[in-house]
Amino acid sequence: MSAGTGESGEGGNSTAVRNTIAAGTGCGCLLSQLALLGALVVIIIIGGFGVLLAPLIALILLFSGGGGDSAGPEDADEVIAIFNGDGGGELDTSTVPEDLAEPIEEAGELCDAIGPIVIAAQIERESNFNETLVGENGEEGISQLPPEIFDKYGEDDDDNDKTSALDAEDSIMAQGRYMCDLAEEAQQMIDANEATGSVLDLALAGYHVGMDAVRAAEGVPQTNEAQGYVLAIRAQFAKYEGVAAPPPGATPGVTPGMGPDPTASPSGGSPTPSTTPDPSGQ
């Protein structure tokens, strides 16, 4: 379902960000850093907090030069269309760590509502592809699912005779199953006129702040936390479809400056997750 469906039910901040990005492209023109930096001022005034700047920062990164291949004018309209789309595009496997491409694609094929670029963008936001990340309230692994959620959706997907959130494949597939259930619940809410917005946006908000909050708000909650998360995920879609090349030397799956959100965890968990040291030293 297109993000444009139920547009009137989305929050004013969300709509303002999208309109500002669209304005920054002009009539198919290149997203200039000057235009986007001007847009940042507008969103600071409207949104109030930096979390709503995430999609604009991501687009600046996508369209800035930096000495390597960067997106050109012909890409601007496509990036905006992908940003506003249903997240069903094909994953460019070069944009994610090689060993995770297959489980990300598999998780993105579990249901029609959640595609692999959604899964990849969420993983970047949740953990920066860090399989050892541990949250303050017990969230573990690459997808940062709370223990009770992983217990429900986790399986031994990597066939190593154990089910663990610290096994990347187990975690990613659990994320996919959970997102599909959230999408189904979102569709039921929309059909029953209990919420407005797109299925994808409601599911993303449900993953981050909990479906109870979505139901109470009758859509994506009018908070920087909820709407900033949805917009930040969408801002990464074009990269994971391979529309804009990552900066030279970038780690696959990681946009510089766009690490995991330090303020909240999935399903409305307590903020400020901590991390355990990465054994690789990275």
Side-chain angles (χ1 to χ4, degrees):
M1 180 182 295
S2 171
T5 303
E7 180 88 15
S8 62
E10 295 182 3
N13 289 337
S14 174
T15 302
V17 173
R18 295 189 189 191
N19 289 344
T20 303
I21 292 172
T25 66
C27 299
C29 300
L30 175 64
L31 278 168
S32 69
Q33 293 190 32
L34 179 60
L36 284 177
L37 288 173
L40 294 183
V41 176
V42 175
I43 302 305
I44 288 172
I45 295 171
I46 295 174
F49 295 99
V51 67
L52 286 180
L53 305 183
L56 294 178
I57 294 169
L59 288 171
I60 288 173
L61 288 167
L62 287 176
F63 283 89
S64 61
D69 293 336
S70 60
E74 69 278 5
D75 295 310
D77 287 341
E78 186 175 4
V79 168
I80 297 304
I82 293 171
F83 177 88
N84 285 307
D86 62 3
E90 183 176 347
L91 177 71
D92 179 347
T93 56
S94 71
T95 63
V96 299
E98 183 177 359
D99 60 327
L100 299 180
E102 184 174 346
I104 289 172
E105 289 184 316
E106 289 181 2
E109 294 172 353
L110 293 174
C111 63
D112 292 337
I114 305 299
I117 67 169
V118 177
I119 298 294
Q122 279 190 287
I123 292 173
E124 175 176 337
R125 181 67 174 173
E126 296 297 335
S127 70
N128 249 349
F129 289 80
N130 180 358
E131 301 174 21
T132 67
L133 188 68
V134 177
E136 188 176 69
N137 293 289
E139 305 90 350
E140 288 186 325
I142 201 167
S143 302
Q144 285 292 281
L145 290 171
E148 65 274 14
I149 299 296
F150 183 79
D151 287 346
K152 180 177 180 179
Y153 293 97
E155 299 178 10
D156 180 20
D157 289 287
D158 57 2
D159 297 322
N160 67 348
D161 296 325
K162 67 176 182 178
T163 301
S164 172
L166 296 177
D167 289 342
E169 188 168 348
D170 293 359
S171 186
I172 292 170
M173 293 301 292
Q175 173 192 349
R177 295 184 189 102
Y178 182 40
M179 280 296 294
C180 285
D181 273 8
L182 291 175
E184 182 178 356
E185 186 175 352
Q187 185 65 68
Q188 292 171 352
M189 292 166 61
I190 293 170
D191 292 343
N193 294 318
E194 296 174 350
T196 56
S198 74
V199 168
L200 178 58
D201 286 357
L202 297 183
L204 287 171
Y207 189 94
H208 192 61
V209 300
M211 216 57 173
D212 287 344
V214 173
R215 189 178 300 277
E218 299 182 354
V220 178
Q222 302 269 334
T223 64
N224 291 315
E225 180 183 5
Q227 295 198 22
Y229 182 82
V230 172
L231 292 168
I233 298 300
R234 284 185 169 279
Q236 299 301 313
F237 286 175
K239 178 182 73 175
Y240 287 111
E241 281 199 38
V243 173
T251 301
V254 177
T255 298
M258 291 294 291
D261 180 2
T263 63
S265 55
S267 301
S270 181
T272 318
S274 60
T275 61
T276 55
D278 185 339
S280 66
Q282 298 178 348

